[in-house]
Amino acid sequence: MAEAAPLFDTFSRAPLRFERGEGVWLITETGERYLDFAAGVAVNSLGHAHPHLVEAIKAQAEKVWHLSNLYEIPGQEKLAKRLTDATFADKAFFTNSGAEALECAIKTARRYHYSKGHPEKFRIVTFEGAFHGRTLATIAAGGQAKYLEGFGPKVEGFDQVPFGDLEALKAVITSETAALLIEPVQGEGGIRIVPPEFMRTLRDLCDEHGLLLILDEVQTGVGRTGKLFGYEWTGVTPDIMAVAKGIGGGFPLGACLATADAASGMTAGTHGTTYGGNPLAMAVGNAVLDVVLADGFLDHVRDITLIFRQGLASLQDRFPDVIEEIRGEGLLLGIKPKMPSAELLQAMRAEHVLGVPAGDNVIRLLPPLVVTAEEAREGLRRIENAAIALSASQQAKSA
Ligand code: PLP
Protein backbone atom coordinates (compact mmCIF):
# COMPACT_ATOMS: atom_id res chain seq x y z
CA MET A 1 0.00 0.00 0.00
CA ALA A 2 1.30 3.48 -0.88
CA GLU A 3 2.48 5.46 2.12
CA ALA A 4 0.08 8.28 3.08
CA ALA A 5 1.38 11.82 2.56
CA PRO A 6 2.40 13.13 5.99
CA LEU A 7 0.49 16.42 5.71
CA PHE A 8 -3.25 16.89 6.23
CA ASP A 9 -4.94 17.02 2.86
CA THR A 10 -6.65 20.36 3.63
CA PHE A 11 -4.82 22.36 0.95
CA SER A 12 -4.72 21.64 -2.76
CA ARG A 13 -1.32 23.11 -3.47
CA ALA A 14 0.22 24.35 -6.69
CA PRO A 15 3.33 22.37 -7.66
CA LEU A 16 5.66 25.29 -6.94
CA ARG A 17 8.47 25.25 -4.40
CA PHE A 18 9.79 28.67 -3.53
CA GLU A 19 13.14 28.82 -1.86
CA ARG A 20 13.54 32.54 -1.31
CA GLY A 21 12.05 35.93 -1.98
CA GLU A 22 13.43 39.33 -2.96
CA GLY A 23 11.02 42.25 -2.80
CA VAL A 24 8.09 41.42 -5.08
CA TRP A 25 9.80 38.32 -6.50
CA LEU A 26 9.68 34.69 -5.39
CA ILE A 27 12.38 32.35 -6.62
CA THR A 28 11.88 28.58 -6.92
CA GLU A 29 14.34 25.88 -5.94
CA THR A 30 15.31 25.67 -9.61
CA GLY A 31 15.88 29.42 -9.90
CA GLU A 32 12.69 30.45 -11.72
CA ARG A 33 11.46 33.93 -10.77
CA TYR A 34 7.77 34.67 -10.17
CA LEU A 35 6.22 38.09 -9.71
CA ASP A 36 4.39 37.70 -6.42
CA PHE A 37 1.02 39.46 -6.71
CA ALA A 38 -0.38 37.10 -4.09
CA ALA A 39 1.91 38.30 -1.29
CA GLY A 40 0.94 35.40 0.99
CA VAL A 41 -2.69 36.54 0.53
CA ALA A 42 -2.12 40.18 1.47
CA VAL A 43 0.45 39.31 4.14
CA ASN A 44 3.86 40.27 2.71
CA SER A 45 2.98 43.95 2.75
CA LEU A 46 6.64 44.99 2.39
CA GLY A 47 7.54 42.19 0.02
CA HIS A 48 10.10 39.49 0.81
CA ALA A 49 13.25 39.97 2.85
CA HIS A 50 12.69 43.69 3.36
CA PRO A 51 15.98 44.89 4.89
CA HIS A 52 14.30 46.84 7.70
CA LEU A 53 12.24 43.80 8.75
CA VAL A 54 15.22 41.46 8.47
CA GLU A 55 17.26 43.79 10.65
CA ALA A 56 14.45 44.17 13.22
CA ILE A 57 13.87 40.42 13.62
CA LYS A 58 17.60 39.65 13.80
CA ALA A 59 18.19 42.31 16.44
CA GLN A 60 15.27 41.08 18.56
CA ALA A 61 16.23 37.41 18.08
CA GLU A 62 19.55 38.14 19.79
CA LYS A 63 17.78 39.64 22.83
CA VAL A 64 14.63 37.72 23.76
CA TRP A 65 12.14 35.86 21.56
CA HIS A 66 9.29 35.07 23.82
CA LEU A 67 7.94 36.33 27.11
CA SER A 68 4.69 35.41 28.76
CA ASN A 69 2.02 38.05 29.02
CA LEU A 70 2.50 37.69 32.76
CA TYR A 71 5.17 40.39 32.30
CA GLU A 72 5.26 43.83 30.75
CA ILE A 73 6.37 43.80 27.12
CA PRO A 74 7.58 47.25 26.01
CA GLY A 75 7.25 46.39 22.29
CA GLN A 76 3.54 45.74 22.86
CA GLU A 77 3.01 49.05 24.57
CA LYS A 78 4.83 50.80 21.74
CA LEU A 79 2.88 49.06 18.97
CA ALA A 80 -0.43 49.55 20.79
CA LYS A 81 0.33 53.26 21.24
CA ARG A 82 1.19 53.68 17.57
CA LEU A 83 -1.90 51.79 16.39
CA THR A 84 -4.23 53.63 18.72
CA ASP A 85 -2.68 57.02 17.89
CA ALA A 86 -3.24 56.32 14.19
CA THR A 87 -6.82 55.02 14.47
CA PHE A 88 -10.21 55.40 16.21
CA ALA A 89 -9.07 52.93 18.88
CA ASP A 90 -7.92 53.38 22.48
CA LYS A 91 -6.84 49.83 23.22
CA ALA A 92 -5.21 46.84 21.54
CA PHE A 93 -4.96 43.09 22.20
CA PHE A 94 -2.35 41.21 20.17
CA THR A 95 -2.93 37.80 18.60
CA ASN A 96 -1.13 35.43 16.23
CA SER A 97 -3.66 35.39 13.41
CA GLY A 98 -6.67 37.01 11.83
CA ALA A 99 -9.13 34.46 13.16
CA GLU A 100 -7.88 35.06 16.70
CA ALA A 101 -8.24 38.81 16.23
CA LEU A 102 -11.85 38.15 15.18
CA GLU A 103 -12.42 35.83 18.14
CA CYS A 104 -11.21 38.62 20.40
CA ALA A 105 -13.48 41.12 18.61
CA ILE A 106 -16.52 38.84 19.00
CA LYS A 107 -15.76 38.20 22.69
CA THR A 108 -15.16 41.91 23.28
CA ALA A 109 -18.57 42.79 21.80
CA ARG A 110 -20.37 40.14 23.84
CA ARG A 111 -18.59 41.10 27.08
CA TYR A 112 -19.41 44.76 26.48
CA HIS A 113 -23.14 44.08 26.65
CA TYR A 114 -22.71 41.54 29.45
CA SER A 115 -20.83 44.05 31.58
CA LYS A 116 -23.50 46.69 30.92
CA GLY A 117 -26.12 44.33 32.33
CA HIS A 118 -27.33 42.87 29.02
CA PRO A 119 -26.07 39.28 28.80
CA GLU A 120 -28.95 38.53 26.44
CA LYS A 121 -27.27 40.68 23.77
CA PHE A 122 -24.84 38.27 22.18
CA ARG A 123 -25.95 37.88 18.57
CA ILE A 124 -23.83 39.29 15.77
CA VAL A 125 -25.08 40.11 12.29
CA THR A 126 -22.78 39.28 9.37
CA PHE A 127 -23.06 39.49 5.58
CA GLU A 128 -23.22 36.83 2.88
CA GLY A 129 -19.90 36.28 1.14
CA ALA A 130 -18.00 37.19 4.31
CA PHE A 131 -14.83 35.45 5.39
CA HIS A 132 -13.64 35.83 8.96
CA GLY A 133 -11.39 32.80 9.50
CA ARG A 134 -11.52 29.05 10.17
CA THR A 135 -12.10 28.69 13.92
CA LEU A 136 -15.50 27.38 14.99
CA ALA A 137 -16.81 30.87 15.81
CA THR A 138 -15.38 32.53 12.72
CA ILE A 139 -16.80 29.90 10.33
CA ALA A 140 -20.15 30.54 12.00
CA ALA A 141 -19.62 34.28 11.49
CA GLY A 142 -18.61 33.78 7.86
CA GLY A 143 -21.67 31.60 7.37
CA GLN A 144 -20.35 29.78 4.30
CA ALA A 145 -21.84 26.30 4.05
CA LYS A 146 -18.67 24.86 2.49
CA TYR A 147 -16.64 25.77 5.58
CA LEU A 148 -19.32 24.75 8.11
CA GLU A 149 -20.17 21.36 6.66
CA GLY A 150 -19.34 18.40 8.84
CA PHE A 151 -18.06 20.32 11.84
CA GLY A 152 -21.06 19.79 14.08
CA PRO A 153 -23.57 22.40 15.21
CA LYS A 154 -22.77 25.91 14.03
CA VAL A 155 -21.69 28.14 16.92
CA GLU A 156 -24.80 29.93 18.13
CA GLY A 157 -25.26 33.68 17.82
CA PHE A 158 -24.59 34.66 14.20
CA ASP A 159 -27.30 35.93 11.88
CA GLN A 160 -26.46 36.48 8.25
CA VAL A 161 -28.12 38.79 5.73
CA PRO A 162 -27.49 39.28 2.00
CA PHE A 163 -24.64 41.67 1.19
CA GLY A 164 -25.96 45.25 0.99
CA ASP A 165 -29.56 44.30 1.89
CA LEU A 166 -30.67 47.02 4.29
CA GLU A 167 -34.22 45.77 4.76
CA ALA A 168 -33.05 42.25 5.64
CA LEU A 169 -30.56 43.78 8.06
CA LYS A 170 -33.18 45.88 9.83
CA ALA A 171 -35.46 42.86 10.05
CA VAL A 172 -32.84 40.66 11.71
CA ILE A 173 -31.88 43.11 14.49
CA THR A 174 -33.56 42.15 17.78
CA SER A 175 -33.14 42.88 21.49
CA GLU A 176 -30.51 40.08 21.45
CA THR A 177 -28.29 41.73 18.85
CA ALA A 178 -24.89 42.84 20.12
CA ALA A 179 -23.03 43.96 17.01
CA LEU A 180 -22.68 44.11 13.23
CA LEU A 181 -19.54 42.60 11.71
CA ILE A 182 -18.35 43.45 8.20
CA GLU A 183 -15.24 43.63 5.98
CA PRO A 184 -14.94 47.07 4.31
CA VAL A 185 -14.06 45.16 1.16
CA GLN A 186 -14.92 41.46 0.99
CA GLY A 187 -11.62 39.84 0.01
CA GLU A 188 -12.28 36.14 -0.30
CA GLY A 189 -15.89 37.01 -1.19
CA GLY A 190 -14.64 38.39 -4.52
CA ILE A 191 -13.40 41.97 -3.87
CA ARG A 192 -16.81 43.42 -3.11
CA ILE A 193 -16.61 46.95 -1.73
CA VAL A 194 -19.08 48.14 0.89
CA PRO A 195 -20.26 51.51 -0.46
CA PRO A 196 -19.44 54.37 1.96
CA GLU A 197 -23.12 55.32 2.23
CA PHE A 198 -23.98 51.75 3.30
CA MET A 199 -21.20 51.88 5.90
CA ARG A 200 -22.68 55.14 7.22
CA THR A 201 -26.09 53.47 7.43
CA LEU A 202 -24.52 50.63 9.42
CA ARG A 203 -23.02 53.15 11.84
CA ASP A 204 -26.39 54.92 12.20
CA LEU A 205 -28.17 51.62 12.84
CA CYS A 206 -25.59 50.70 15.50
CA ASP A 207 -26.03 54.05 17.21
CA GLU A 208 -29.81 53.82 17.05
CA HIS A 209 -29.96 50.29 18.52
CA GLY A 210 -26.98 50.48 20.91
CA LEU A 211 -24.96 47.95 18.86
CA LEU A 212 -21.22 47.81 18.28
CA LEU A 213 -19.80 48.10 14.79
CA ILE A 214 -16.99 45.57 14.27
CA LEU A 215 -14.82 45.84 11.17
CA ASP A 216 -12.75 42.98 9.87
CA GLU A 217 -9.71 44.73 8.40
CA VAL A 218 -7.55 41.62 8.37
CA GLN A 219 -7.16 41.92 4.60
CA THR A 220 -7.93 45.62 4.00
CA GLY A 221 -5.76 47.02 6.79
CA VAL A 222 -2.24 48.41 7.03
CA GLY A 223 -2.16 50.36 3.79
CA ARG A 224 -3.66 47.76 1.45
CA THR A 225 -6.43 50.09 0.23
CA GLY A 226 -4.21 53.19 0.05
CA LYS A 227 -5.25 54.40 3.52
CA LEU A 228 -3.84 52.96 6.73
CA PHE A 229 -7.24 51.29 7.27
CA GLY A 230 -10.06 50.82 4.79
CA TYR A 231 -12.66 52.49 7.02
CA GLU A 232 -10.90 55.83 6.43
CA TRP A 233 -12.44 55.93 2.94
CA THR A 234 -15.93 55.81 4.44
CA GLY A 235 -16.01 58.64 6.99
CA VAL A 236 -17.22 56.09 9.56
CA THR A 237 -15.33 54.74 12.57
CA PRO A 238 -15.99 51.34 14.12
CA ASP A 239 -16.05 50.41 17.82
CA ILE A 240 -13.92 47.30 17.36
CA MET A 241 -11.59 46.24 14.55
CA ALA A 242 -9.71 43.04 13.75
CA VAL A 243 -6.31 43.43 12.07
CA ALA A 244 -3.72 40.84 10.96
CA LYS A 245 -1.89 39.85 7.76
CA GLY A 246 -0.10 43.05 6.59
CA ILE A 247 0.70 44.23 10.13
CA GLY A 248 3.20 41.36 10.51
CA GLY A 249 4.60 41.52 6.98
CA GLY A 250 4.88 37.70 7.10
CA PHE A 251 5.34 37.17 10.83
CA PRO A 252 2.18 35.71 12.45
CA LEU A 253 0.65 38.78 14.08
CA GLY A 254 -2.84 40.12 14.57
CA ALA A 255 -4.57 42.66 16.76
CA CYS A 256 -7.99 43.47 18.06
CA LEU A 257 -8.41 47.23 18.42
CA ALA A 258 -11.27 48.86 20.29
CA THR A 259 -12.46 52.06 21.88
CA ALA A 260 -12.05 52.17 25.65
CA ASP A 261 -15.83 51.85 26.06
CA ALA A 262 -16.13 48.86 23.71
CA ALA A 263 -13.23 47.14 25.50
CA SER A 264 -14.60 47.91 28.96
CA GLY A 265 -15.89 44.37 29.54
CA MET A 266 -12.51 42.79 28.82
CA THR A 267 -11.23 42.92 32.38
CA ALA A 268 -8.27 40.98 33.86
CA GLY A 269 -8.58 37.25 33.27
CA THR A 270 -11.40 37.39 30.69
CA HIS A 271 -9.15 36.65 27.71
CA GLY A 272 -5.58 35.55 27.09
CA THR A 273 -2.95 34.17 24.76
CA THR A 274 0.42 32.48 25.14
CA TYR A 275 2.17 33.80 22.04
CA GLY A 276 0.11 36.85 21.12
CA GLY A 277 2.23 40.00 21.36
CA ASN A 278 5.54 38.26 22.00
CA PRO A 279 8.72 40.32 21.60
CA LEU A 280 9.64 38.90 18.17
CA ALA A 281 6.19 39.69 16.78
CA MET A 282 6.26 43.15 18.29
CA ALA A 283 9.68 43.93 16.83
CA VAL A 284 8.38 43.02 13.39
CA GLY A 285 5.05 44.83 13.80
CA ASN A 286 6.82 48.00 14.88
CA ALA A 287 9.24 47.71 11.96
CA VAL A 288 6.32 47.33 9.52
CA LEU A 289 4.78 50.51 10.94
CA ASP A 290 8.11 52.36 10.64
CA VAL A 291 7.77 51.89 6.89
CA VAL A 292 4.00 52.15 6.39
CA LEU A 293 3.65 55.28 8.55
CA ALA A 294 6.63 57.05 6.94
CA ASP A 295 5.80 60.17 4.94
CA GLY A 296 4.80 59.38 1.39
CA PHE A 297 4.34 55.60 1.78
CA LEU A 298 0.55 55.62 1.40
CA ASP A 299 0.89 58.16 -1.45
CA HIS A 300 3.09 55.57 -3.15
CA VAL A 301 0.38 52.90 -2.70
CA ARG A 302 -2.20 55.24 -4.23
CA ASP A 303 0.09 56.17 -7.16
CA ILE A 304 0.74 52.52 -7.95
CA THR A 305 -2.96 51.79 -7.65
CA LEU A 306 -3.58 54.22 -10.52
CA ILE A 307 -1.09 52.39 -12.72
CA PHE A 308 -2.82 49.08 -12.01
CA ARG A 309 -6.32 50.49 -12.50
CA GLN A 310 -5.44 52.11 -15.82
CA GLY A 311 -3.52 49.07 -17.03
CA LEU A 312 -6.26 46.63 -16.06
CA ALA A 313 -9.01 48.85 -17.52
CA SER A 314 -7.11 48.93 -20.80
CA LEU A 315 -6.78 45.12 -20.74
CA GLN A 316 -10.52 44.86 -20.14
CA ASP A 317 -11.15 47.12 -23.18
CA ARG A 318 -8.79 45.13 -25.37
CA PHE A 319 -9.82 41.64 -24.22
CA PRO A 320 -13.60 41.79 -23.68
CA ASP A 321 -13.74 38.06 -24.43
CA VAL A 322 -11.44 37.39 -21.46
CA ILE A 323 -12.11 40.06 -18.82
CA GLU A 324 -15.62 40.77 -17.60
CA GLU A 325 -14.87 43.20 -14.79
CA ILE A 326 -12.10 44.87 -12.82
CA ARG A 327 -12.76 45.53 -9.14
CA GLY A 328 -10.97 46.84 -6.12
CA GLU A 329 -9.77 49.46 -3.76
CA GLY A 330 -6.07 50.30 -3.63
CA LEU A 331 -3.85 47.27 -4.10
CA LEU A 332 -6.71 44.91 -3.28
CA LEU A 333 -7.62 44.31 -6.89
CA GLY A 334 -9.86 41.77 -8.58
CA ILE A 335 -10.16 40.50 -12.15
CA LYS A 336 -13.38 38.71 -12.98
CA PRO A 337 -12.73 36.70 -16.14
CA LYS A 338 -15.28 35.41 -18.63
CA MET A 339 -14.01 31.86 -18.21
CA PRO A 340 -13.54 29.90 -14.93
CA SER A 341 -11.09 31.93 -12.85
CA ALA A 342 -8.79 28.90 -12.47
CA GLU A 343 -8.00 29.23 -16.20
CA LEU A 344 -6.87 32.84 -15.75
CA LEU A 345 -4.81 31.90 -12.70
CA GLN A 346 -3.18 29.11 -14.69
CA ALA A 347 -2.47 31.40 -17.67
CA MET A 348 -0.95 33.99 -15.31
CA ARG A 349 1.16 31.32 -13.66
CA ALA A 350 2.46 30.31 -17.09
CA GLU A 351 3.66 33.94 -17.36
CA HIS A 352 5.23 33.65 -13.89
CA VAL A 353 2.88 36.03 -12.14
CA LEU A 354 0.96 34.89 -9.06
CA GLY A 355 -2.57 35.82 -8.00
CA VAL A 356 -5.12 34.43 -5.54
CA PRO A 357 -8.52 32.89 -6.28
CA ALA A 358 -11.57 34.43 -4.58
CA GLY A 359 -15.33 33.90 -4.58
CA ASP A 360 -17.59 35.11 -7.40
CA ASN A 361 -15.10 33.75 -9.97
CA VAL A 362 -12.57 36.52 -9.22
CA ILE A 363 -8.77 36.44 -9.18
CA ARG A 364 -7.26 38.75 -6.58
CA LEU A 365 -4.11 40.75 -7.25
CA LEU A 366 -2.51 41.71 -3.95
CA PRO A 367 1.00 42.92 -4.76
CA PRO A 368 3.32 43.86 -1.93
CA LEU A 369 2.71 47.55 -1.15
CA VAL A 370 6.34 48.32 -2.01
CA VAL A 371 5.82 47.30 -5.66
CA THR A 372 7.43 49.89 -7.95
CA ALA A 373 5.86 51.45 -11.05
CA GLU A 374 8.21 49.40 -13.20
CA GLU A 375 7.28 46.14 -11.46
CA ALA A 376 3.58 47.02 -11.75
CA ARG A 377 4.01 47.53 -15.52
CA GLU A 378 5.96 44.28 -15.79
CA GLY A 379 3.09 42.50 -14.03
CA LEU A 380 0.55 44.11 -16.35
CA ARG A 381 2.57 42.98 -19.37
CA ARG A 382 2.54 39.42 -18.08
CA ILE A 383 -1.21 39.55 -17.39
CA GLU A 384 -1.64 40.90 -20.93
CA ASN A 385 0.24 37.86 -22.25
CA ALA A 386 -2.04 35.63 -20.20
CA ALA A 387 -5.05 37.43 -21.69
CA ILE A 388 -3.66 36.97 -25.23
CA ALA A 389 -3.29 33.23 -24.62
CA LEU A 390 -6.79 32.93 -23.14
CA SER A 391 -8.30 35.02 -25.94
CA ALA A 392 -6.70 32.73 -28.51
CA SER A 393 -8.06 29.63 -26.81
CA GLN A 394 -11.53 31.25 -26.55
CA GLN A 395 -11.42 31.90 -30.29
CA ALA A 396 -10.26 28.38 -31.00
CA LYS A 397 -13.17 27.02 -28.92
CA SER A 398 -15.76 29.12 -30.78
CA ALA A 399 -14.26 28.39 -34.24
N1 PLP B 1 -10.68 37.90 7.99
C1 PLP B 1 -10.37 38.16 6.71
C2 PLP B 1 -11.04 39.29 6.00
C3 PLP B 1 -9.42 37.37 6.05
O1 PLP B 1 -9.11 37.62 4.78
C4 PLP B 1 -8.80 36.30 6.76
C5 PLP B 1 -7.82 35.42 6.10
O2 PLP B 1 -7.80 35.26 4.89
C6 PLP B 1 -9.16 36.09 8.10
C7 PLP B 1 -10.09 36.91 8.68
C8 PLP B 1 -8.53 34.98 8.89
O3 PLP B 1 -7.19 35.24 9.11
P1 PLP B 1 -6.20 34.04 9.51
O4 PLP B 1 -6.10 33.13 8.35
O5 PLP B 1 -4.91 34.75 9.84
O6 PLP B 1 -6.78 33.38 10.72
Side-chain angles (χ1 to χ4, degrees), residues 41 97-100 102 131-133 183 216 218-219 244-245:
V41 192
S97 68
E100 285 169 285
L102 264 303
F131 183 77
H132 299 299
E183 296 153 84
D216 178 345
V218 166
Q219 195 157 153
K245 291 188 182 268

Short mmCIF file of all heavy atoms in Angstrom, two decimals, residues 41 97-100 102 131-133 183 216 218-219 244-245, ligand 1:
data_model
loop_
_atom_site.label_atom_id
_atom_site.label_comp_id
_atom_site.label_asym_id
_atom_site.label_seq_id
_atom_site.Cartn_x
_atom_site.Cartn_y
_atom_site.Cartn_z
N VAL A 41 -1.32 36.04 0.36
CA VAL A 41 -2.69 36.54 0.53
C VAL A 41 -2.67 37.79 1.42
O VAL A 41 -3.14 37.78 2.56
CB VAL A 41 -3.68 35.47 1.04
CG1 VAL A 41 -5.11 35.97 0.90
CG2 VAL A 41 -3.53 34.17 0.27
N SER A 97 -3.01 35.64 14.70
CA SER A 97 -3.66 35.39 13.41
C SER A 97 -4.90 36.27 13.30
O SER A 97 -5.35 36.88 14.28
CB SER A 97 -4.09 33.93 13.31
OG SER A 97 -5.14 33.69 14.23
N GLY A 98 -5.45 36.26 12.07
CA GLY A 98 -6.67 37.01 11.83
C GLY A 98 -7.86 36.42 12.57
O GLY A 98 -8.64 37.13 13.20
N ALA A 99 -7.98 35.09 12.51
CA ALA A 99 -9.13 34.46 13.16
C ALA A 99 -9.13 34.75 14.66
O ALA A 99 -10.18 35.01 15.26
CB ALA A 99 -9.10 32.95 12.91
N GLU A 100 -7.94 34.75 15.26
CA GLU A 100 -7.88 35.06 16.70
C GLU A 100 -8.22 36.52 16.98
O GLU A 100 -8.78 36.84 18.03
CB GLU A 100 -6.49 34.77 17.24
CG GLU A 100 -6.17 33.32 17.40
CD GLU A 100 -4.68 33.17 17.69
OE1 GLU A 100 -3.88 33.32 16.76
OE2 GLU A 100 -4.34 32.94 18.85
N LEU A 102 -10.38 38.15 15.27
CA LEU A 102 -11.85 38.15 15.18
C LEU A 102 -12.48 37.55 16.42
O LEU A 102 -13.49 38.04 16.93
CB LEU A 102 -12.29 37.36 13.93
CG LEU A 102 -12.59 38.13 12.65
CD1 LEU A 102 -13.67 39.18 12.85
CD2 LEU A 102 -11.38 38.78 12.06
N PHE A 131 -15.81 36.43 4.91
CA PHE A 131 -14.83 35.45 5.39
C PHE A 131 -14.15 36.04 6.61
O PHE A 131 -13.58 37.13 6.55
CB PHE A 131 -13.78 35.11 4.32
CG PHE A 131 -12.84 34.05 4.80
CD1 PHE A 131 -13.24 32.72 4.83
CD2 PHE A 131 -11.57 34.37 5.27
CE1 PHE A 131 -12.38 31.72 5.30
CE2 PHE A 131 -10.71 33.38 5.74
CZ PHE A 131 -11.11 32.06 5.76
N HIS A 132 -14.23 35.32 7.73
CA HIS A 132 -13.64 35.83 8.96
C HIS A 132 -12.64 34.87 9.60
O HIS A 132 -12.14 35.16 10.69
CB HIS A 132 -14.74 36.21 9.95
CG HIS A 132 -15.67 37.27 9.45
ND1 HIS A 132 -15.24 38.54 9.14
CD2 HIS A 132 -17.00 37.24 9.18
CE1 HIS A 132 -16.27 39.26 8.71
NE2 HIS A 132 -17.35 38.51 8.71
N GLY A 133 -12.37 33.72 8.94
CA GLY A 133 -11.39 32.80 9.50
C GLY A 133 -11.95 31.39 9.58
O GLY A 133 -13.05 31.12 9.11
N GLU A 183 -16.53 43.25 6.61
CA GLU A 183 -15.24 43.63 5.98
C GLU A 183 -15.51 44.86 5.11
O GLU A 183 -16.44 44.82 4.30
CB GLU A 183 -14.75 42.52 5.04
CG GLU A 183 -14.42 41.20 5.68
CD GLU A 183 -14.62 40.06 4.67
OE1 GLU A 183 -13.71 39.79 3.89
OE2 GLU A 183 -15.70 39.43 4.67
N ASP A 216 -13.81 43.95 10.11
CA ASP A 216 -12.75 42.98 9.87
C ASP A 216 -11.82 43.60 8.83
O ASP A 216 -12.12 43.61 7.64
CB ASP A 216 -13.36 41.66 9.36
CG ASP A 216 -12.29 40.62 9.05
OD1 ASP A 216 -11.11 40.98 8.95
OD2 ASP A 216 -12.65 39.43 8.88
N VAL A 218 -8.68 42.55 8.46
CA VAL A 218 -7.55 41.62 8.37
C VAL A 218 -6.89 41.71 6.99
O VAL A 218 -5.67 41.70 6.87
CB VAL A 218 -8.04 40.18 8.68
CG1 VAL A 218 -7.00 39.13 8.28
CG2 VAL A 218 -8.38 40.05 10.16
N GLN A 219 -7.72 41.86 5.95
CA GLN A 219 -7.16 41.92 4.60
C GLN A 219 -7.01 43.36 4.10
O GLN A 219 -6.09 43.69 3.37
CB GLN A 219 -8.05 41.13 3.64
CG GLN A 219 -7.41 40.83 2.34
CD GLN A 219 -8.00 39.62 1.61
OE1 GLN A 219 -7.96 39.54 0.43
NE2 GLN A 219 -8.55 38.68 2.34
N ALA A 244 -4.76 41.90 10.97
CA ALA A 244 -3.72 40.84 10.96
C ALA A 244 -2.93 40.99 9.66
O ALA A 244 -2.69 42.11 9.22
CB ALA A 244 -4.32 39.44 11.11
N LYS A 245 -2.57 39.88 9.06
CA LYS A 245 -1.89 39.85 7.76
C LYS A 245 -0.81 40.94 7.63
O LYS A 245 0.28 40.79 8.14
CB LYS A 245 -2.91 39.95 6.63
CG LYS A 245 -3.78 38.69 6.52
CD LYS A 245 -4.64 38.71 5.29
CE LYS A 245 -5.54 37.50 5.16
NZ LYS A 245 -4.97 36.41 4.40
N1 PLP B 1 -10.68 37.90 7.99
C1 PLP B 1 -10.37 38.16 6.71
C2 PLP B 1 -11.04 39.29 6.00
C3 PLP B 1 -9.42 37.37 6.05
O1 PLP B 1 -9.11 37.62 4.78
C4 PLP B 1 -8.80 36.30 6.76
C5 PLP B 1 -7.82 35.42 6.10
O2 PLP B 1 -7.80 35.26 4.89
C6 PLP B 1 -9.16 36.09 8.10
C7 PLP B 1 -10.09 36.91 8.68
C8 PLP B 1 -8.53 34.98 8.89
O3 PLP B 1 -7.19 35.24 9.11
P1 PLP B 1 -6.20 34.04 9.51
O4 PLP B 1 -6.10 33.13 8.35
O5 PLP B 1 -4.91 34.75 9.84
O6 PLP B 1 -6.78 33.38 10.72
#
